[in-house]
Amino acid sequence: MDSLDRILVYPLQQLPFFLITIVIAFTVHEFAHAYFANKFGDPTARLLGRMTLNPAVHFDLFGIILLLLAGFGWARPVPVNRDNFRRPRLMGVIVSAAGPLSNFLLGIIGALIYAALYATGVMDSIANEQLLRAVYWFFGMFIPFNFFLFLFNLIPLPPLDGYRIIEDIAPRPIRGKLQQYEQWTVFIFLLIIFIPGLSAYTIGPLNDWSLQIANNFINMFLSLFGYGKL
């Protein structure tokens, strides 16, 4: 058990709650891409069975294992053919943004439920210490993790959604340059993820901002329920 705790990002006791979090976060993220692509005229993802909330079709085994071991991973990206869109650039931006925005919405929903449990006294009424700890662990991961995915996916480097948004917004000459150097910018992305000295200044602040956003929403909802700040 101790050896597993040393190699996993989260302690073994908390691992089930992290797995539930990533199942929901990744599945909804990829479904959002597929849903809006289909809505705007591209049935590619739907025809491949990707427009679904079934987690099994969205998960990449290696990506999930790496997420558990290194704190960075991925789901299977939804295929999108922008040529099927009536207005490829505008609709491409919306489809790309749909994934991160779905995580932002999940974070808000999680913060609302957590605040409601507090404000209505449900948390205080939980006598079982293990159950109470489980609730804390789940929401303590689910809320900030979804806000983190929102921020992380907006980084303008491939293969993230932020890059696709910039690519669709950019004028044609600039878009051509971006595509020309795309294979090299992928390496930049990998460097800022896996080199501790760089990730401390890139990913580290995203973690801090995610926690701050989570706390702000929780406290906002608590105030709406007439409850003081946590």
Side-chain angles (χ1 to χ4, degrees):
M1 290 294 184
D2 290 340
S3 59
L4 277 176
D5 279 342
R6 283 195 293 269
I7 64 174
L8 294 173
V9 173
Y10 285 98
L12 203 56
Q13 282 184 309
Q14 300 179 20
L15 190 60
F17 308 102
F18 181 61
L19 289 172
I20 294 171
T21 292
I22 62 175
V23 164
I24 297 172
F26 282 7
T27 300
V28 172
H29 181 108
E30 298 303 331
F31 171 79
H33 285 314
Y35 174 82
F36 280 96
N38 184 70
K39 187 176 181 64
F40 293 146
D42 175 30
T44 306
R46 176 174 58 81
L47 293 176
L48 291 173
R50 298 297 305 281
M51 199 176 80
T52 175
L53 288 172
N54 177 5
V57 304
H58 298 300
F59 270 52
D60 180 282
L61 181 59
F62 182 71
I64 299 305
I65 292 173
L66 196 59
L67 182 64
L68 297 176
L69 298 178
F72 167 74
W74 55 82
R76 290 175 58 205
V78 164
V80 176
N81 185 352
R82 283 165 166 74
D83 293 336
N84 290 325
F85 297 153
R86 183 167 54 86
R87 301 177 64 183
R89 294 177 68 180
L90 173 61
M91 293 176 176
V93 168
I94 296 173
V95 170
S96 295
L101 288 174
S102 72
N103 292 123
F104 188 78
L105 181 60
L106 284 176
I108 293 175
I109 293 172
L112 176 60
I113 295 172
Y114 186 63
L117 292 175
Y118 247 103
T120 57
V122 172
M123 296 294 284
D124 293 333
S125 68
I126 299 177
N128 186 303
E129 187 176 335
Q130 288 185 328
L131 177 58
L132 184 61
R133 187 184 302 117
V135 174
Y136 276 124
W137 280 344
F138 172 70
F139 285 104
M141 293 179 188
F142 183 85
I143 301 170
F145 184 77
N146 273 287
F147 287 130
F148 175 83
L149 282 185
F150 165 71
L151 296 172
F152 179 78
N153 277 286
L154 291 180
I155 295 175
L157 288 173
L160 300 176
D161 298 318
Y163 174 79
R164 299 303 168 196
I165 292 172
I166 295 297
E167 191 179 37
D168 283 322
I169 292 175
R172 188 179 298 275
I174 296 178
R175 192 159 66 250
K177 288 291 185 182
L178 288 173
Q179 293 169 348
Q180 181 180 350
Y181 295 107
E182 184 172 322
Q183 59 180 330
W184 301 110
T185 50
V186 169
F187 286 111
I188 297 174
F189 168 74
L190 293 174
L191 287 176
I192 68 172
I193 293 296
F194 288 111
I195 296 181
L198 292 176
S199 63
Y201 293 99
T202 54
I203 305 305
L206 293 186
N207 278 318
D208 295 337
W209 296 340
S210 302
L211 289 170
Q212 187 60 54
I213 294 171
N215 288 332
N216 287 343
F217 270 108
I218 291 170
N219 286 322
M220 181 187 74
F221 288 130
L222 284 173
S223 67
L224 291 177
F225 287 123
Y227 195 93
K229 292 183 178 182
L230 291 180

